[in-house]
Amino acid sequence: MMGNTLGLAPMGTLPRRSHRREEPLPNPGSFDELHRLCKDVFPAQMEGVKLVVNKVLSSHFQVAHTVHMSALGLPGYHLHTAYAGDWQLSPTEVFPTVVGDMDSSGSLNAQVLLLLAERLRAKAVFQTQQAKFLTWQFDGEYRGDDCTATLTLGNPDLIGESDITHRLVLGGELVYHRRPGEEGAILTLAGKYSAVHWVATLNVGSGGAHASYYHKANEQVQVGVEFEANTRLQDTTFSFGYHLTLPQADMVFRGLVDSNWCVGAVLEKKMRPLPVTLALGAFLNHWRNRFHCGFSITVG
């Protein structure tokens, strides 16, 4: 007689189920950078004629000269200087960093970034108007593995945000202000969801709401949508922007349309092999019947 035999392996030889290794959550970044991807899609306002000359003096120091002529005001000159130290955490983060901008009237805008420890950063911002001291602000920022906390003095501001998952970031901002005869606090809650090709962000508070949506269709086309509502001014704005890159032609085109009947576009062209970039922009407000255009040349 023949039969089937079922053999059982000893418990020690059974294959063990491998435990899934969870990846640590990334740092969510700063609170004021939540809408940056969407805002970079929109073109910057241009008016008049501008000439910018950049000069790199060393691996740490560079200067820029800007001359701007406009029909809306007097011609102006700006001297921009920047110093970058040796401590580089990422391609866009170098410490210490000192940036200054002074115009022909003597007004100064300065910013200092310091890395106090591996997770602790400090920033100081100063602004003067001619010979008068206008504003100052000091920021302290702590960046953990999956959270960021910021304390601002000058315009008192307490910020905190944390990663919930690899795609979802939640945070809040508390602003407390006190002036002669006025005192109050404003709380704003924020959320950001990041997918492979799109990012959605929402800020909601007693002062209003700000929502943005960024979508990267491919390496050449990016679009962004913004909605802003201000309860104090009783005003709402809806904007749509797009960013088109033509690598073969060394051209970048940005455009926008908003609910205030404004349309605008900026075209940038790199004149290779020369270190020159030309930009031409035009903006039209149909509601107020206003039109302005600009042209800029950047050397370096």
Side-chain angles (χ1 to χ4, degrees):
M1 181 177 64
M2 299 179 61
N4 295 330
T5 303
L6 178 62
L8 296 177
M11 293 296 295
T13 61
L14 288 177
R16 295 183 179 179
R17 180 178 297 178
S18 60
H19 295 281
R20 184 179 178 182
R21 184 179 180 181
E22 296 183 358
E23 297 181 0
L25 297 177
N27 184 274
S30 301
F31 194 89
D32 55 359
E33 296 179 352
L34 289 175
H35 299 273
R36 173 165 294 184
L37 279 177
C38 184
K39 288 185 176 296
D40 288 344
V41 174
F42 290 80
Q45 291 283 339
M46 293 185 63
E47 200 281 328
V49 179
K50 181 185 295 185
L51 173 63
V52 181
V53 179
N54 296 318
K55 178 64 176 179
V56 178
L57 302 180
S58 67
S59 59
H60 300 284
F61 193 71
Q62 64 179 8
V63 298
H65 305 272
T66 303
V67 179
H68 185 207
M69 293 178 290
S70 171
L72 302 179
L74 298 175
Y77 167 79
H78 284 259
L79 172 63
H80 179 85
T81 61
Y83 170 81
D86 297 320
W87 201 335
Q88 184 171 359
L89 297 184
S90 68
T92 58
E93 292 180 315
V94 181
F95 296 93
T97 298
V98 181
V99 179
D101 185 276
M102 178 177 289
D103 61 16
S104 53
S105 65
S107 299
L108 172 67
N109 292 321
Q111 181 173 293
V112 181
L113 300 175
L114 298 174
L115 186 66
L116 304 180
E118 183 180 359
R119 299 179 181 272
L120 188 61
R121 310 176 183 201
K123 180 174 69 173
V125 179
F126 304 93
Q127 185 177 6
T128 65
Q129 186 174 9
Q130 295 181 355
K132 297 181 180 179
F133 194 78
L134 194 60
T135 60
W136 61 271
Q137 181 175 303
F138 294 99
D139 294 354
E141 182 179 274
Y142 173 81
R143 293 202 175 188
D145 294 331
D146 58 355
C147 65
T148 298
T150 305
L151 176 65
T152 301
L153 300 177
N155 299 319
D157 194 359
L158 183 62
I159 300 173
E161 58 181 347
S162 176
D163 276 342
I164 304 301
T165 67
H166 286 274
R167 298 182 182 272
L168 181 61
V169 174
L170 298 178
E173 178 186 50
L174 177 63
V175 178
Y176 172 80
H177 65 276
R178 183 177 182 181
R179 300 175 183 175
E182 182 181 358
E183 183 178 2
I186 299 176
L187 175 64
T188 302
L189 302 178
K192 177 181 178 181
Y193 185 86
S194 302
V196 178
H197 299 293
W198 59 271
V199 177
T201 309
L202 174 64
N203 293 18
V204 179
S206 57
H210 183 191
S212 68
Y213 174 79
Y214 164 83
H215 188 94
K216 184 176 182 180
N218 50 50
E219 294 298 329
Q220 299 181 352
V221 180
Q222 306 172 54
V223 296
V225 180
E226 271 194 313
F227 172 81
E228 294 186 74
N230 192 311
T231 56
R232 184 175 62 88
L233 300 178
Q234 298 295 318
D235 180 61
T236 59
T237 304
F238 176 82
S239 305
F240 170 78
Y242 55 94
H243 180 286
L244 176 62
T245 303
L246 302 175
Q248 295 181 350
D250 285 331
M251 295 175 60
V252 175
F253 185 81
R254 293 181 175 91
L256 70 87
V257 179
D258 65 20
S259 57
N260 294 324
W261 298 91
C262 295
V263 294
V266 174
L267 176 65
E268 297 180 5
K269 168 67 175 178
K270 292 184 178 181
M271 309 299 294
R272 301 184 187 276
L274 300 176
V276 177
T277 301
L278 304 180
L280 177 64
F283 297 86
L284 175 62
N285 188 321
H286 292 84
W287 186 262
R288 299 182 179 180
N289 196 23
R290 292 181 180 178
F291 172 79
H292 62 270
C293 61
F295 178 76
S296 70
I297 303 175
T298 303
V299 181

